[in-house]
Amino acid sequence: MPAPDPHAAELADRAEDAFRAEFGADPAGSWAAPGRVNLIGEHTDYNEGFVMPFALPFYAVAAAAESETWEFHSTYRGGSTVRTDTLDGVTGWAAYLAGIAWAMNEAGYPVRPTRIALHSDVPHGAGLSSSAAMECAALLALADLYGHDIDRGLAARIARRAENEYVGAPTGILDQSASLLCEEGRAMFMDCRDLSRDQVPFELEAEGLTMLVVDTNAPHRHADGEYAARRADCEEAARLLGVEFLRDAPDDASLEDDRLNRRLRHIVTENRRVLETVKALKETGASGIGDLLTASHVSMRDDYEISCAELDSAVDAALGAGALGARMTGGGFGGSAIALVEATSAQKVEAAVTDAAAEKNLPTPRVFKARAAQGAHRVR
Ligand code: GLA
């Protein structure tokens, strides 16, 4: 096991301070789980296709210890605490934690009432999987506290079930598997059918490159309804083609209905782009993937129709200022874009993205540099 990320250790100090202040006792340990960026492979997860996320160096940390009753504390926005004797019907942010406990019980990994204090610096509402980070930190904490050695792929499935069935969000398995399975300095190719993985070296600094993440600060408009609508389109397209999932659609498949045909085309071409990205990374390094990233954005903008003015502005401005490639990342309808740039032009691209938003009267984006960080781990 690699040593804990020093930044996760700093966050753990804060989580443990909050635990002591709130509960008047010491936690038994601290567990960190990161947010993610998806390099490529969007909306392919629930079609049993390919994804390629990497972990961001932002973590949710859960400080935890066994207790008489369930007690969930979060430091977010001044702090709040939820206490409950039962795991039934917990809502709001604590549902992500209660849902994990529920899903572990359901999966045959029984857990008992626990105190958890959460402290996270994964940007909230930025499409960088702050909720999966919370879930996965809680899952590792509960697994260790109650002596369950759970395979990480299975853990991702349990966390996804918490999100789907307890929280009620119909997401795929991308976010939880990214948080639990990514490795430092690697982008993780994953086949969402069997969760088989290839950890591909992704050391941008050594290549003189930088990955910028642009949190557009756009409000997530209709994100939930539109996400469910895309899933329904994919299911309908698969049904018409006579396959269980669009992953199995032949490369030359087409459908009469224009909208369904474009949804199909996105999934088929996106899966192909993920495979090409893996190949390019291995053969030429990250400098060879720019066009694939940009083609992915165009496909999401025009065929899958999940982009928005803020994301398009960021992508266009980054490309205009010399980025090698750029795309929205995550579910869409707001959230974040990524831009792969020569390290020497990072400032120029950042300025172009910010200026473009100001010119169009869009919210001021927050731009930061990303590196591939560690997946979820026990801090202490
Ligand atoms: C969200 C979902 C994931 C995945 C992405 C799109 O992040 O939570 O399961 O579908 O959107 O790739």
Side-chain angles (χ1 to χ4, degrees), residues 12 15-16 19-20 26-32 61-66 114-117 137 140-142 144-145 377-380:
E16 289 169 13
F19 188 101
R20 285 185 202 100
D26 286 327
S30 290
W31 294 261
V61 176
E66 199 168 342
T114 306
R115 287 172 165 156
I116 299 179
L140 287 196
L142 293 172
D144 272 4
L145 284 176
H377 57 281
R378 183 170 190 159
V379 181
R380 55 176 83 102

Side-chain angles (χ1 to χ4, degrees), residues 192-270:
C192 296
R193 170 153 287 168
D194 59 7
L195 302 194
S196 58
R197 305 176 283 280
D198 187 3
Q199 302 281 357
V200 183
F202 192 63
E203 309 262 15
L204 297 177
E205 216 176 314
E207 286 190 64
L209 299 175
T210 297
M211 184 65 78
L212 294 178
V213 178
V214 182
D215 171 5
T216 61
N217 277 316
H220 276 254
R221 299 176 207 93
H222 317 301
D224 294 352
E226 292 289 344
Y227 187 94
R230 294 304 175 282
R231 281 197 73 137
D233 280 354
C234 288
E235 282 161 22
E236 176 64 0
R239 194 185 63 76
L240 290 169
L241 290 169
V243 293
E244 198 179 347
F245 292 98
L246 286 187
R247 148 73 176 276
D248 301 308
D251 269 9
D252 59 355
S254 69
L255 290 165
E256 259 173 45
D257 181 279
D258 175 61
R259 189 186 79 233
L260 293 182
N261 193 50
R262 284 183 291 118
R263 306 299 190 243
L264 164 69
R265 188 163 58 203
H266 168 71
I267 300 302
V268 169
T269 58
E270 185 77 349

Side-chain angles (χ1 to χ4, degrees), residues 36 38 40-46 51 127-129 131-132 160 163-164 169-176 227 231 266 270 300 304 306 327-332:
R36 61 99 188 94
N38 195 20
I40 194 160
E42 222 66 82
H43 286 257
T44 45
D45 61 351
Y46 53 82
V51 294
L128 301 173
S129 292
S131 43
R160 179 194 179 185
E163 177 127 6
N164 290 174
T171 58
I173 199 155
L174 166 67
D175 307 339
Q176 294 81 10
Y227 187 94
R231 281 197 73 137
H266 168 71
E270 185 77 349
M300 289 189 284
Y304 220 63
I306 54 172
R327 65 188 287 277
M328 53 150 279
T329 182

Side-chain angles (χ1 to χ4, degrees), residues 143-198:
D144 272 4
L145 284 176
Y146 300 110
H148 303 306
D149 186 10
I150 310 177
D151 165 82
R152 290 280 174 116
L154 176 59
R157 291 190 196 278
I158 293 171
R160 179 194 179 185
R161 185 162 177 213
E163 177 127 6
N164 290 174
E165 294 182 34
Y166 193 97
V167 179
T171 58
I173 199 155
L174 166 67
D175 307 339
Q176 294 81 10
S177 48
S179 188
L180 287 165
L181 293 162
C182 280
E183 294 178 7
E184 188 164 19
R186 302 279 187 270
M188 179 178 74
F189 167 78
M190 189 174 82
D191 181 337
C192 296
R193 170 153 287 168
D194 59 7
L195 302 194
S196 58
R197 305 176 283 280
D198 187 3

